[in-house]
Amino acid sequence: MTLPPFHPFSLDYTANPKPYFAEFHRSGRLAFLPEMNAVAVHGYEAVRAFCDHPQMSRNPADAGLVDPEQDAIRMARWPTLEGQMRRTVAGDQQGLARMREMLAPDFKPAMIRKMATTVKEVVERICAPLAVERDVDMVTLVQTVPLVVISKLLGIDEATADAEMFLRAAPAYFRGINPLADEDCRDQAEVAANQMFAVLARTVEQRKRDPQTDMVTQVLEIAAGMGDVTTDDVVRALVILVAAGTDTTRLTTSLAVKTLLTHPAEFEALRRNRDDVKNAVMELLRFESPTKFLVRIAVEDVVWEGQTIPRGTIVLLSIMGAGWDPRVFPAPERFDVQRDLKGSLNFGFGSGYCLGVHLARLQVGTLVHYLLDHLPSTATIDEAGMRWDSRNLFLREITALPVHVR
Ligand code: HEM
């Protein structure tokens, strides 16, 4: 069968990129996309090298890709969205390093273990319909779990209007971060971003006046020791956290359901061997990653195995492609919860490695345990009802996964 041509935004590639991976791994080819001034990279060694490469930046301005006139227009129309993005996700290395310094202690394994009860309580409350309903859309069911977990960890009081505003604004903000979002979507995201920043700023100010034993208070203590850190800097660090940790976790869970229900024997085996759940979380992430591409910009010409990536090229790193590279993960099409996953790039590599890795593994593990308790392996996916939003560059955005539970 001939594959439709590769394109990052095609439904074929978004929903089932595995045949494309096989082709790229066989040929060793980098996939150049001249119309996007981009190249997509799928081999394990190249993805790992480019994650944290001296000639690759996360900031388009570093490669002269930002048109100052267009940039000024965008800044005027979406000051919060553009301004915050510039100073965070695509920010300078120093800013990112400071952000990591501020947040890292809260994400150490010992701190995360303390969060286990909170995470379990949220999962059990939100996923309760799975134990009783006949038909459930898994995407809808799990979508609020990570956001509720993170807002609890940040200490946003659940019973307040701020919590309600935060939970409503955050998804609209995330939709606007997608570079392909249309102008209406970005207008809505600008409003949402302002609301989100305001809620977080109020939480930060409140903790300054009345310190607690929570995450925001600890971040403030670290920030105080770092010198000239403003409330704005702290709020931006918290926004990165929310943006990085919410959609990835929610998509991982929906994709995990898809994998488990299409591998009923492995699902049953996992039910009998709960000790395998930890490794299964990593295998689920390898098998169906929520990440479509990590994005870098080549700031110099970079040569890889005889192929030149010219300066200024947008470099799209496929984490999932790397996880399907048979030279590193033999027989990648086998879903094996006991697979040796040392060297996995599920959570990135190098200086940008995921800060929330332990929280992510805790949340997904808790959700998998809940599925093992309440989702029969006889449940079936309504394939015709599955939906994807393929125009997301960063994430494999599954938007509907209807499951007939019982
Ligand atoms: C299953 C869920 C998750 C996956 C698959 C995931 C994956 C990743 C990956 C691949 C990166 C590297 C990005 C790059 O190099 O460009 C990353 C970075 C990051 N992640 Fe996660 N992540 C998850 C959950 C979380 C959670 C729950 C949090 C925190 C609440 C979080 C916080 C972060 C932060 C702050 C960074 C940026 C680090 C930096 O730029 O220095 N992530 N994540």
Side-chain angles (χ1 to χ4, degrees):
M1 200 185 75
T2 348
L3 274 178
F6 161 70
H7 195 280
F9 302 130
S10 77
L11 181 59
D12 287 301
Y13 179 79
T14 304
N16 183 18
K18 296 159 194 173
Y20 293 90
F21 297 159
E23 164 59 22
F24 290 129
H25 291 140
R26 196 187 47 71
S27 68
R29 195 163 62 83
L30 300 177
F32 283 91
L33 297 152
E35 72 282 13
M36 286 175 67
N37 187 30
V39 62
V41 181
H42 295 85
Y44 176 90
E45 291 300 338
V47 171
R48 196 172 104 122
F50 295 163
C51 265
D52 202 14
H53 191 282
Q55 267 103 42
M56 300 269 172
S57 163
R58 297 191 202 189
N59 189 349
D62 286 348
L65 285 183
V66 175
D67 170 351
E69 236 171 78
Q70 285 302 318
D71 196 41
I73 294 171
R74 292 166 69 86
M75 280 294 268
R77 178 155 175 188
W78 301 297
T80 306
L81 203 57
E82 290 289 326
Q84 300 301 340
M85 284 292 289
R86 196 69 43 77
R87 287 145 78 179
T88 52
V89 179
D92 61 291
Q93 286 306 321
Q94 215 189 348
L96 280 174
R98 281 162 71 84
M99 179 277 287
R100 291 185 75 93
E101 197 180 332
M102 245 187 280
L103 299 174
D106 271 322
F107 284 93
K108 295 239 162 72
M111 289 301 291
I112 300 302
R113 275 195 294 276
K114 287 192 194 155
M115 299 171 181
T117 314
T118 305
V119 173
K120 190 161 184 280
E121 181 271 314
V122 172
V123 167
E124 286 178 352
R125 178 159 50 85
I126 295 179
C127 296
L130 194 64
V132 290
E133 299 287 333
R134 282 167 63 90
D135 294 288
V136 167
D137 173 30
M138 286 306 303
V139 174
T140 311
L141 182 78
V142 300
Q143 69 187 355
T144 54
V145 170
L147 199 51
V148 173
V149 166
I150 196 92
S151 61
K152 270 182 171 283
L153 298 182
L154 292 174
I156 300 171
D157 187 348
E158 230 184 323
T160 61
D162 265 2
E164 200 258 325
M165 184 194 279
F166 184 75
L167 295 179
R168 201 165 20 80
Y173 171 66
F174 302 151
R175 281 194 292 277
I177 294 176
N178 182 0
L180 291 182
D182 62 30
E183 295 195 343
D184 276 356
C185 179
R186 292 180 72 76
D187 286 343
Q188 287 166 28
E190 176 70 18
V191 175
N194 282 317
Q195 292 173 338
M196 227 174 116
F197 282 90
V199 172
L200 288 171
R202 278 197 287 278
T203 309
V204 168
E205 289 300 342
Q206 206 271 334
R207 288 304 182 282
K208 275 187 177 169
R209 286 194 304 274
D210 180 20
Q212 309 275 320
T213 53
D214 62 10
M215 188 188 221
V216 174
T217 307
Q218 291 194 44
V219 170
L220 282 169
E221 276 165 16
I222 298 161
M226 286 169 63
D228 57 339
V229 180
T230 64
T231 298
D232 253 19
D233 294 331
V234 175
V235 169
R236 265 198 302 279
L238 298 178
V239 169
I240 295 199
L241 206 65
V242 179
T246 303
D247 280 352
T248 39
T249 311
R250 106 185 139 72
L251 293 173
T252 299
T253 313
S254 302
L255 294 169
V257 172
K258 178 171 170 285
T259 303
L260 292 171
L261 288 183
T262 47
H263 296 81
E266 288 80 357
F267 193 12
E268 270 313 306
L270 197 53
R271 227 188 282 279
R272 290 190 302 272
N273 298 308
R274 296 287 185 114
D275 288 350
D276 285 341
V277 167
K278 267 199 179 140
N279 203 55
V281 168
M282 289 301 277
E283 174 67 348
L284 285 162
L285 275 159
R286 181 197 70 82
F287 201 78
E288 289 278 4
S289 172
T291 313
K292 191 191 268 179
F293 293 117
L294 306 184
V295 180
R296 302 289 189 267
I297 317 286
V299 289
E300 299 293 340
D301 285 2
V302 175
V303 179
W304 184 263
E305 293 180 347
Q307 302 163 85
T308 301
I309 302 175
R311 175 180 184 278
T313 305
I314 300 166
V315 184
L316 306 173
L317 304 178
S318 169
I319 292 282
M320 184 169 162
W324 276 68
D325 189 333
R327 286 166 298 192
V328 183
F329 301 105
E333 67 292 346
R334 209 179 60 235
F335 172 63
D336 175 3
V337 298
Q338 290 177 343
R339 181 186 285 278
D340 178 359
L341 288 156
K342 268 197 295 298
S344 152
L345 301 180
N346 283 339
F347 290 99
F349 178 74
S351 62
Y353 189 73
C354 179
L355 265 183
V357 55
H358 302 296
L359 177 60
R361 293 179 72 168
L362 171 69
Q363 279 193 78
V364 179
T366 307
L367 281 151
V368 169
H369 277 295
Y370 192 86
L371 296 174
L372 292 168
D373 287 338
H374 297 289
L375 183 65
S377 15
T378 48
T380 49
I381 296 172
D382 165 14
E383 303 244 347
M386 261 168 66
R387 295 283 176 272
W388 297 79
D389 176 358
S390 61
R391 289 180 63 79
N392 190 327
L393 189 61
F394 304 122
L395 296 170
R396 294 181 63 232
E397 178 86 54
I398 184 165
T399 54
L401 181 68
V403 171
H404 181 61
V405 183
R406 52 182 67 79

